[in-house]
Amino acid sequence: CTSCTPGLVLDSSGTCAVECSVSQTEHNGRCYDCPAECDVCGFVGDDLKCTACATNYLLVEGKCEPNCPVPSGTDPKKIFPTNPSTCTICHDSCWGCVSHSLDSCTGCPVGEVLIGMP
C-alpha cells in the first residue's frame, strides 16, 4: 500500500493498520519509527522529536542524549539537568547553572564576572 482509507495509518511495512506500533508515531497518515534512544516521539511541524527517552538517556531539546551537554567556548548551549531524565537550557546570561533563573548562574561568558553565588 502507498496510502490508506481514512481512519487507518500506513505502517512501516506498507500495511494499513488501526494505529502505529508502540515504537512509532503517526504523521500525515503514516507511521514513523522513533529513534532507538527515544521511548516516545512525535512530530513538531515536520520535525520528528523525542518526548521521552530510553533508560540512560536525557531529553535535550527534542533529542535523547547520553549526558547533558557541557558548556564550552565553541558550544553556546548552556544546559543543566532538571531531573533524572531531562536537561534544560540555562538563562541566556549564564554559562552554566543549577536552574533556569538568572540568579542560579554558576559561570559567565568570557569577559563577564559572576557576582554572588547561587
Side-chain angles (χ1 to χ4, degrees):
C1 294
T2 57
S3 64
C4 299
T5 58
L8 297 177
V9 294
L10 186 64
D11 70 16
S12 57
S13 68
T15 305
C16 291
V18 174
E19 60 186 23
C20 298
S21 73
V22 174
S23 63
Q24 296 180 323
T25 189
E26 184 273 331
H27 183 64
N28 295 331
R30 298 179 90 91
C31 295
Y32 292 86
D33 292 331
C34 293
E37 63 275 9
C38 298
D39 271 348
V40 180
C41 67
F43 278 86
V44 176
D46 287 331
D47 296 327
L48 181 62
K49 302 279 187 181
C50 297
T51 56
C53 298
T55 303
N56 297 323
Y57 284 90
L58 299 164
L59 188 62
V60 182
E61 299 180 310
K63 294 181 181 178
C64 293
E65 303 286 348
N67 299 297
C68 290
V70 176
S72 71
T74 58
D75 183 2
K77 291 190 188 294
K78 301 158 252 174
I79 309 277
F80 66 97
T82 51
N83 65 47
S85 63
T86 306
C87 300
T88 303
I89 296 175
C90 297
H91 187 277
D92 289 340
S93 299
C94 299
W95 193 260
C97 60
V98 293
S99 77
H100 182 72
S101 66
L102 180 57
D103 63 354
S104 72
C105 298
T106 58
C108 297
V110 174
E112 295 185 25
V113 177
L114 182 64
I115 299 173
M117 294 299 289

